[in-house]
Amino acid sequence: MAHEREQVAREVHRQQAPARRQIGARICKVVGDIRYIGYVEARSPDNDRVQIRVSFAEQVGSPGFRPGGFEPSVVWDSPDLWTLCD
């Protein structure tokens, strides 16, 4: 059962790949217990990386609880390491 869920999650992630590269897409990345939320602002010429304005961070399981020291930033990263935000 867990294996099936993992397969479904991978397939959904694969299907959403084009949407994660769209300018304006709201994307999220979980690192440890922090969820980073950002918006795609640009794409690299090879479409391998996207420029993301990371505008918000929250603790997973505690929406609205902001980690201390977070500063909004702009990063270039692979959209494959991010998901579409719910």
Side-chain angles (χ1 to χ4, degrees):
M1 187 76 152
H3 182 66
E4 279 183 27
R5 279 183 290 196
E6 289 173 11
Q7 284 181 320
V8 168
R10 279 194 298 272
E11 180 61 20
V12 168
H13 191 73
R14 186 190 68 73
Q15 289 176 357
Q16 292 177 346
R20 290 191 310 271
R21 288 173 168 77
Q22 292 294 320
I23 305 299
R26 182 173 181 248
I27 57 178
C28 295
K29 182 177 187 178
V30 175
V31 178
D33 63 346
I34 305 297
R35 176 181 298 119
Y36 295 93
I37 301 166
Y39 297 88
V40 175
E41 292 190 328
R43 292 186 298 258
S44 63
D46 60 7
N47 210 24
D48 241 9
R49 296 169 69 80
V50 292
Q51 179 181 315
I52 305 162
R53 180 166 302 274
V54 183
S55 56
F56 189 76
E58 64 186 6
Q59 187 166 355
V60 173
S62 299
F65 182 76
R66 298 187 172 122
F70 172 76
E71 292 289 330
S73 60
V74 175
V75 299
W76 283 90
D77 202 356
S78 168
D80 294 334
L81 300 176
W82 293 71
T83 61
L84 291 177
C85 294
D86 295 334

